[in-house]
Amino acid sequence: MSKKTSPAGGTETVVYQSSLQLSTATLTFLGDLLRGHLKKIRSRWRKLPAGKIATIVLAVLRHDQRLADMAGGNHISATTVRRWVLEVIELLAARAQRLERVLKKVIRTGGHVVLIDGTLIRTRRRTGAANRRNYSGKHKAHGLLFLALTDDKGRLLWLSAARPGRSSEITTARYNKLVERLRAVELGAIGDLGFVGLDDDPDNSVVITGYKAARTKPLIPAKKQVNKLIASVRAVCEHAFAHLKNWRILTKLRLHVRHATTLLRALLVLTNIEIAR
């Protein structure tokens, strides 16, 4: 029986077209941002024009296209695509507003309350001691926890830095000193039952939550009605997260976790551009 050592036939690269469901305003914004950056750093040339680079990066972020697939279709290396993605998300993340500026802007525009919620962005399982650190017992999955603030219309305003998946929402809020910052600008916040006990000052409470039922003490009808009202107001938070997770790269994060905060804040900027079109 003879052994075949020659490669299998029919392994030529096949390139196909795919639709990118994004507005022209998003592509134009990202292309102009990249052109300004290249001019600032005096980059003499790139393998592709800035507009084409922006399209490739948006395809990776929106559809979670594999780097090797995008590289093969554009005659570049996967390393180059990865470098472009990291470069662009850093440029975008730098345009995301920090918490103090966000709260002051809400006050200037006549707002009185913000909505607070948390979400878990799933990641690959890690090995060694880092395995349990990112495991969320609540979601039974590995991931990173983010807090988000939205306005009363569901527009994303701010995203916290990434925290290990084992962290709770209330611990993450305390880590970011959210209550102190809200009280400093005299702004209120509405949260779900995960934030019960966050504000320990009943005389000057700035965080509004519902009521929890105990095993031996069910809620009275009035408290149930309060929970329904709070849930109806907070529904727009879920809409905000839905818009954010339309970027399919967040389906399961394959980038290193050190890039997670930068990536989420970059997608925050792009999401607001898409919603505002």
Side-chain angles (χ1 to χ4, degrees), residues 8-274:
T11 58
E12 64 274 2
T13 302
V14 178
V15 180
Y16 64 93
Q17 293 182 343
S18 178
S19 175
L20 186 60
Q21 298 294 332
L22 290 172
S23 65
T24 305
T26 301
L27 179 59
T28 302
F29 168 80
L30 191 54
D32 292 342
L33 181 64
L34 187 55
R35 292 185 192 94
H37 172 68
L38 297 180
K39 184 177 181 180
K40 181 178 180 180
I41 65 175
R42 298 182 179 180
S43 178
R44 298 183 62 183
W45 65 278
R46 292 289 172 98
K47 290 185 178 180
L48 292 175
K52 186 66 174 179
I53 294 174
T55 303
I56 292 173
V57 172
L58 287 173
V60 173
L61 299 178
R62 191 68 168 184
H63 294 312
D64 196 20
Q65 294 282 3
R66 300 304 190 261
L67 303 183
D69 295 341
M70 297 302 300
N74 293 279
H75 307 291
I76 52 179
S77 67
T79 304
T80 299
V81 177
R82 176 182 174 83
R83 185 172 63 251
W84 287 346
V85 171
L86 294 179
E87 182 181 37
V88 168
I89 64 175
E90 287 181 1
L91 291 175
L92 289 169
R95 301 180 69 89
Q97 295 184 355
R98 297 302 181 257
L99 182 55
E100 289 80 2
R101 183 173 295 181
V102 165
L103 297 179
K104 291 178 181 178
K105 184 176 180 180
V106 173
I107 294 296
R108 287 198 307 269
T109 56
H112 301 285
V113 68
V114 293
L115 308 179
I116 179 174
D117 202 357
T119 187
L120 185 79
I121 302 299
R122 301 198 175 199
T123 62
R124 295 178 297 180
R125 178 175 178 175
R126 305 185 69 189
T127 59
N131 177 34
R132 298 298 302 178
R133 177 178 174 84
N134 287 340
Y135 182 77
S136 170
K138 176 181 177 181
H139 296 89
K140 302 296 187 294
H142 292 79
L144 298 172
L145 180 66
F146 289 84
L147 285 187
L149 291 183
T150 68
D151 59 15
D152 54 359
K153 296 181 180 179
R155 180 184 175 90
L156 277 170
L157 302 175
W158 172 80
L159 284 169
S160 70
R163 296 288 295 167
R166 67 182 182 184
S167 302
S168 64
E169 294 175 344
I170 190 171
T171 301
T172 305
R174 287 170 177 162
Y175 178 83
N176 288 277
K177 299 181 179 179
L178 191 59
V179 173
E180 292 82 353
R181 293 176 176 179
L182 288 169
R183 187 170 285 119
V185 296
E186 298 182 353
L187 193 66
I190 300 177
D192 60 13
L193 296 181
F195 297 95
V196 173
L198 174 60
D199 191 351
D200 54 1
D201 186 358
D203 297 329
N204 186 22
S205 180
V206 296
V207 179
I208 302 172
T209 60
Y211 296 95
K212 281 186 177 180
R215 181 176 299 178
T216 59
K217 189 177 180 181
L219 295 179
I220 62 176
K223 290 184 177 181
K224 290 182 180 180
Q225 188 64 28
V226 170
N227 285 351
K228 289 182 180 180
L229 291 174
I230 291 177
S232 64
V233 173
R234 291 190 60 262
V236 293
C237 277
E238 303 303 328
H239 300 163
F241 281 133
H243 288 304
L244 183 66
K245 292 183 179 181
N246 278 336
W247 302 92
R248 296 177 189 169
I249 194 172
L250 299 181
T251 302
K252 195 168 193 177
L253 194 62
R254 290 178 287 107
L255 289 175
H256 194 281
V257 294
R258 67 171 176 267
H259 302 302
T261 301
T262 304
L263 174 63
L264 265 291
R265 288 177 176 169
L267 296 181
L268 166 65
V269 175
L270 292 175
T271 299
N272 286 336
I273 295 174
E274 277 293 294

